[in-house]
mmCIF file of all heavy atoms in Angstrom:
data_model
loop_
_atom_site.group_PDB
_atom_site.id
_atom_site.type_symbol
_atom_site.label_atom_id
_atom_site.label_comp_id
_atom_site.label_asym_id
_atom_site.label_seq_id
_atom_site.Cartn_x
_atom_site.Cartn_y
_atom_site.Cartn_z
ATOM 1 N N LEU A 89 -7.773 1.696 -13.697
ATOM 2 C CA LEU A 89 -7.850 0.686 -14.748
ATOM 3 C C LEU A 89 -8.518 1.249 -15.998
ATOM 4 O O LEU A 89 -8.050 1.023 -17.124
ATOM 5 C CB LEU A 89 -8.621 -0.534 -14.242
ATOM 6 C CG LEU A 89 -7.900 -1.403 -13.208
ATOM 7 C CD1 LEU A 89 -8.846 -2.460 -12.654
ATOM 8 C CD2 LEU A 89 -6.669 -2.055 -13.818
ATOM 9 N N GLU A 90 -9.613 1.977 -15.815
ATOM 10 C CA GLU A 90 -10.299 2.559 -16.968
ATOM 11 C C GLU A 90 -9.403 3.560 -17.703
ATOM 12 O O GLU A 90 -9.366 3.582 -18.934
ATOM 13 C CB GLU A 90 -11.594 3.234 -16.510
ATOM 14 C CG GLU A 90 -12.692 2.249 -16.134
ATOM 15 C CD GLU A 90 -14.023 2.938 -15.914
ATOM 16 O OE1 GLU A 90 -14.023 4.082 -15.432
ATOM 17 O OE2 GLU A 90 -15.061 2.323 -16.232
ATOM 18 N N ALA A 91 -8.662 4.372 -16.941
ATOM 19 C CA ALA A 91 -7.774 5.348 -17.564
ATOM 20 C C ALA A 91 -6.646 4.670 -18.342
ATOM 21 O O ALA A 91 -6.129 5.235 -19.310
ATOM 22 C CB ALA A 91 -7.200 6.276 -16.496
ATOM 23 N N ALA A 92 -6.275 3.472 -17.913
ATOM 24 C CA ALA A 92 -5.218 2.726 -18.601
ATOM 25 C C ALA A 92 -5.747 1.948 -19.797
ATOM 26 O O ALA A 92 -4.979 1.242 -20.469
ATOM 27 C CB ALA A 92 -4.533 1.776 -17.620
ATOM 28 N N GLY A 93 -7.065 2.033 -20.036
ATOM 29 C CA GLY A 93 -7.636 1.354 -21.185
ATOM 30 C C GLY A 93 -8.042 -0.081 -20.945
ATOM 31 O O GLY A 93 -8.297 -0.834 -21.897
ATOM 32 N N VAL A 94 -8.119 -0.494 -19.679
ATOM 33 C CA VAL A 94 -8.550 -1.861 -19.360
ATOM 34 C C VAL A 94 -10.079 -1.924 -19.450
ATOM 35 O O VAL A 94 -10.763 -1.183 -18.740
ATOM 36 C CB VAL A 94 -8.085 -2.273 -17.957
ATOM 37 C CG1 VAL A 94 -8.603 -3.661 -17.608
ATOM 38 C CG2 VAL A 94 -6.563 -2.238 -17.871
ATOM 39 N N PRO A 95 -10.643 -2.784 -20.297
ATOM 40 C CA PRO A 95 -12.112 -2.858 -20.403
ATOM 41 C C PRO A 95 -12.723 -3.537 -19.174
ATOM 42 O O PRO A 95 -12.243 -4.581 -18.727
ATOM 43 C CB PRO A 95 -12.342 -3.692 -21.667
ATOM 44 C CG PRO A 95 -11.105 -4.502 -21.820
ATOM 45 C CD PRO A 95 -9.973 -3.681 -21.260
ATOM 46 N N LEU A 96 -13.760 -2.944 -18.629
ATOM 47 C CA LEU A 96 -14.483 -3.495 -17.488
ATOM 48 C C LEU A 96 -15.921 -3.796 -17.912
ATOM 49 O O LEU A 96 -16.588 -2.953 -18.506
ATOM 50 C CB LEU A 96 -14.485 -2.501 -16.320
ATOM 51 C CG LEU A 96 -13.118 -2.066 -15.787
ATOM 52 C CD1 LEU A 96 -13.291 -1.031 -14.679
ATOM 53 C CD2 LEU A 96 -12.319 -3.253 -15.291
ATOM 54 N N HIS A 97 -16.385 -4.992 -17.599
ATOM 55 C CA HIS A 97 -17.758 -5.395 -17.909
ATOM 56 C C HIS A 97 -18.438 -5.713 -16.587
ATOM 57 O O HIS A 97 -18.173 -6.749 -15.976
ATOM 58 C CB HIS A 97 -17.767 -6.612 -18.838
ATOM 59 C CG HIS A 97 -16.978 -6.419 -20.091
ATOM 60 N ND1 HIS A 97 -17.495 -5.809 -21.213
ATOM 61 C CD2 HIS A 97 -15.685 -6.727 -20.396
ATOM 62 C CE1 HIS A 97 -16.579 -5.764 -22.160
ATOM 63 N NE2 HIS A 97 -15.463 -6.321 -21.692
ATOM 64 N N GLU A 98 -19.317 -4.848 -16.142
ATOM 65 C CA GLU A 98 -19.886 -4.955 -14.809
ATOM 66 C C GLU A 98 -21.282 -5.570 -14.828
ATOM 67 O O GLU A 98 -21.983 -5.527 -15.839
ATOM 68 C CB GLU A 98 -19.935 -3.572 -14.152
ATOM 69 C CG GLU A 98 -18.556 -2.943 -13.999
ATOM 70 C CD GLU A 98 -18.615 -1.599 -13.304
ATOM 71 O OE1 GLU A 98 -18.813 -0.593 -14.001
ATOM 72 O OE2 GLU A 98 -18.483 -1.562 -12.075
ATOM 73 N N ASN A 99 -21.680 -6.114 -13.667
ATOM 74 C CA ASN A 99 -23.031 -6.653 -13.464
ATOM 75 C C ASN A 99 -23.376 -7.735 -14.490
ATOM 76 O O ASN A 99 -24.485 -7.775 -15.030
ATOM 77 C CB ASN A 99 -24.066 -5.524 -13.513
ATOM 78 C CG ASN A 99 -23.796 -4.461 -12.469
ATOM 79 O OD1 ASN A 99 -23.536 -4.781 -11.311
ATOM 80 N ND2 ASN A 99 -23.833 -3.206 -12.873
ATOM 81 N N ASP A 100 -22.424 -8.613 -14.751
ATOM 82 C CA ASP A 100 -22.617 -9.702 -15.707
ATOM 83 C C ASP A 100 -21.953 -10.944 -15.124
ATOM 84 O O ASP A 100 -20.743 -11.101 -15.191
ATOM 85 C CB ASP A 100 -22.021 -9.322 -17.063
ATOM 86 C CG ASP A 100 -22.396 -10.308 -18.159
ATOM 87 O OD1 ASP A 100 -23.207 -11.208 -17.881
ATOM 88 O OD2 ASP A 100 -21.882 -10.159 -19.283
ATOM 89 N N ALA A 101 -22.747 -11.814 -14.526
ATOM 90 C CA ALA A 101 -22.203 -12.919 -13.738
ATOM 91 C C ALA A 101 -21.536 -13.985 -14.610
ATOM 92 O O ALA A 101 -22.041 -14.336 -15.692
ATOM 93 C CB ALA A 101 -23.325 -13.564 -12.920
ATOM 94 N N LEU A 102 -20.426 -14.497 -14.137
ATOM 95 C CA LEU A 102 -19.747 -15.607 -14.795
ATOM 96 C C LEU A 102 -20.579 -16.877 -14.633
ATOM 97 O O LEU A 102 -21.034 -17.204 -13.532
ATOM 98 C CB LEU A 102 -18.364 -15.809 -14.177
ATOM 99 C CG LEU A 102 -17.542 -16.972 -14.726
ATOM 100 C CD1 LEU A 102 -17.037 -16.642 -16.116
ATOM 101 C CD2 LEU A 102 -16.378 -17.281 -13.798
ATOM 102 N N THR A 103 -20.781 -17.598 -15.724
ATOM 103 C CA THR A 103 -21.536 -18.854 -15.664
ATOM 104 C C THR A 103 -20.696 -20.070 -16.021
ATOM 105 O O THR A 103 -21.086 -21.200 -15.715
ATOM 106 C CB THR A 103 -22.747 -18.791 -16.613
ATOM 107 O OG1 THR A 103 -22.297 -18.511 -17.944
ATOM 108 C CG2 THR A 103 -23.717 -17.702 -16.170
ATOM 109 N N GLY A 104 -19.563 -19.875 -16.664
ATOM 110 C CA GLY A 104 -18.718 -21.007 -17.007
ATOM 111 C C GLY A 104 -17.546 -20.584 -17.861
ATOM 112 O O GLY A 104 -17.379 -19.398 -18.172
ATOM 113 N N TRP A 105 -16.733 -21.554 -18.238
ATOM 114 C CA TRP A 105 -15.577 -21.264 -19.082
ATOM 115 C C TRP A 105 -15.174 -22.526 -19.841
ATOM 116 O O TRP A 105 -15.541 -23.649 -19.469
ATOM 117 C CB TRP A 105 -14.402 -20.747 -18.250
ATOM 118 C CG TRP A 105 -13.864 -21.747 -17.269
ATOM 119 C CD1 TRP A 105 -12.971 -22.750 -17.506
ATOM 120 C CD2 TRP A 105 -14.219 -21.849 -15.893
ATOM 121 N NE1 TRP A 105 -12.727 -23.467 -16.365
ATOM 122 C CE2 TRP A 105 -13.474 -22.939 -15.355
ATOM 123 C CE3 TRP A 105 -15.064 -21.141 -15.045
ATOM 124 C CZ2 TRP A 105 -13.588 -23.327 -14.018
ATOM 125 C CZ3 TRP A 105 -15.163 -21.519 -13.719
ATOM 126 C CH2 TRP A 105 -14.434 -22.597 -13.216
ATOM 127 N N GLN A 106 -14.400 -22.323 -20.894
ATOM 128 C CA GLN A 106 -13.842 -23.422 -21.663
ATOM 129 C C GLN A 106 -12.369 -23.112 -21.935
ATOM 130 O O GLN A 106 -12.038 -22.018 -22.388
ATOM 131 C CB GLN A 106 -14.585 -23.605 -22.994
ATOM 132 C CG GLN A 106 -16.002 -24.127 -22.852
ATOM 133 C CD GLN A 106 -16.672 -24.360 -24.199
ATOM 134 O OE1 GLN A 106 -16.234 -23.830 -25.219
ATOM 135 N NE2 GLN A 106 -17.729 -25.160 -24.208
ATOM 136 N N THR A 107 -11.518 -24.073 -21.659
ATOM 137 C CA THR A 107 -10.100 -23.900 -21.945
ATOM 138 C C THR A 107 -9.789 -24.475 -23.323
ATOM 139 O O THR A 107 -10.441 -25.410 -23.799
ATOM 140 C CB THR A 107 -9.233 -24.600 -20.887
ATOM 141 O OG1 THR A 107 -9.558 -25.994 -20.857
ATOM 142 C CG2 THR A 107 -9.467 -23.998 -19.510
ATOM 143 N N HIS A 108 -8.793 -23.884 -23.971
ATOM 144 C CA HIS A 108 -8.329 -24.389 -25.254
ATOM 145 C C HIS A 108 -6.825 -24.163 -25.339
ATOM 146 O O HIS A 108 -6.196 -23.666 -24.389
ATOM 147 C CB HIS A 108 -9.074 -23.739 -26.426
ATOM 148 C CG HIS A 108 -9.200 -22.241 -26.303
ATOM 149 N ND1 HIS A 108 -8.153 -21.383 -26.536
ATOM 150 C CD2 HIS A 108 -10.272 -21.467 -25.963
ATOM 151 C CE1 HIS A 108 -8.552 -20.137 -26.369
ATOM 152 N NE2 HIS A 108 -9.839 -20.148 -26.002
#
Side-chain angles (χ1 to χ4, degrees):
L89 288 172
E90 287 190 326
V94 177
L96 301 177
H97 305 276
E98 299 182 273
N99 302 314
D100 190 6
L102 178 73
T103 57
W105 64 83
Q106 291 183 341
T107 59
H108 46 75

